[in-house]
Amino acid sequence: MSYILESLKARDPHEREFHQAVQEVTESIKPVLDQNPQYGQAAVLERIVEPERIITFRVPWVDDQGDVKVNRGFCVEMNSAIGPYKSALRFHPSVNQSILKFLAFEQVFKNALATLPLGGGAGGSDFDPKGKSDDEMMRFCQNFMAELYQHIGPNTDIAAGDIGVGTREIGYLFGMYKRLRNEFTGALTGKGLNWGGSLIRAQAAGYGCVYFAAEMLATRNMTLEGQVCLVSGAGNVAQHTAEKLIELGAKVITLSDSSGYVYDPEGIDRDKLAYVKRLKNIRRGRIQEYADKYAGAVFTPLDTNSDFNPLWSHRATCAFPCATQNEISEQDAYAIINNNVKLICEGANMPCTPEATDIFIDKSILYAPGKAANAGGVAVSSLEMVQNSIRLNWLGKEVDQRLKIIMKGIHKTCLDAAETYATPGNYLNGANITGFVKVVDAMLDQGVI
Ligand code: NDP
């Protein structure tokens, strides 16, 4: 399979994140291809790594000083073999075609694994939301949607939030979509509760990640109660991962943002987490302020020139990377295993470098890839779509219960597939194989498209 990777590298040498995501999948699925020559004959691998469609577009907008700014918008529609594309939208200055292709590729497998009738895509812009006023944010979202609305829809491509896109941004995007299309449909998920959103959607990726971790620990007769946990990030996924961990009796000792991390040896309790939510979601401040407020907490700035992030060197039993891709390097992975960590559960997409992942798997540490562990986000998005189409709102308890069942199901599916292909306990192989088989079987049924 290395020929696929080589051809991708030759064609698009700069798409490092996408190559990484493809490499990980191709390594996992080797035994499946060996046992199923029909896949090779139909060139499914060649097809699955090529997006069905990529649209790039100009997003001009006017800032508060009246100056015209221009950003680049993207819509990557990766694979629709099992359903309409379900995309995550990311607004971050690092956004480029490689990052969105990797997110879209991951999404294809994630949705298939979660048994959702949804394909995979991703979209976004290199727009930086940091320091922007509400008005600037609104103008940017409206101009972004002025193009995107032509490519999305409840039966075509359904978009949700990712880094830099939360309920505020989904509101501005949905308002513009509705105006341009003159229809109130579920083309976006993560909507506000009184205009089509679902209870538990905001919490879903984080809560689901913790439910998945609980299932993994149960295979070793452990629970989350009393476990000391490292969590990175301070956004949607990190906040709700920490919230559920605290609820289940675990002790969360770290959170981070792109400027650095805070270590609180006393543990981040409910009240402190409520402060973090106000700080990050309303005031849009920096995590350093946490250490200024709570005695005993220490802030360490991020050293962008180093491959080592001391966040991962604190003694703990569980680690939940919930910030961004490649945040755990090989060096961090050694620090993690030397510090007694028994479980790594990815809230973010692809937060571990391939070297780090190999170390966790070699050392038989419980390791869950994001495409399995954070699938709760898209699972509840699909529950939001169902509620939108039947024009009903389910109770939070009901949605949470469904989320728990879905995460339990994904966990079992991963373990079963890993066992079938002779790598018992390898969640990465289990997740990649399950997603791959489901999608390529649908591709075979639908002919050469
Ligand atoms: P948010 O924008 O809400 O939060 C992202 C957090 O990560 C922020 O604290 C941000 O810091 C930090 N961060 C971003 N980039 C970096 C970086 N380069 N170095 C260090 N920290 C960084 O995003 P989400 O919580 O929604 O997403 C986090 C991860 O989870 C992503 O990988 C996303 O793809 C994945 N995910 C999200 C889902 C969702 O439903 N939202 C569902 C499934 C997966 P700062 O505040 O400084 O920007």
Side-chain angles (χ1 to χ4, degrees), residues 88 90-92 94 102-103 107 110 130 160-166 201-202 204-205 232-239 256-260 280-281 285-286 302 321-325 327 347-351 370 374-378 381:
R90 179 175 289 193
F91 292 165
H92 192 271
S94 64
F102 120 66
L103 281 174
Q107 195 79 42
K110 188 185 304 189
K130 276 202 193 69
D162 189 80
I163 290 178
V165 179
R201 172 58 191 94
S232 65
N236 174 289
V237 178
Q239 289 172 17
S256 70
D257 66 16
S258 53
S259 58
K280 297 305 284 185
N281 307 349
R286 311 307 296 151
L302 182 72
C322 297
T324 195
Q325 64 276 355
E327 54 171 312
N349 283 310
M350 210 169 74
N374 71 32
V378 70
S381 274

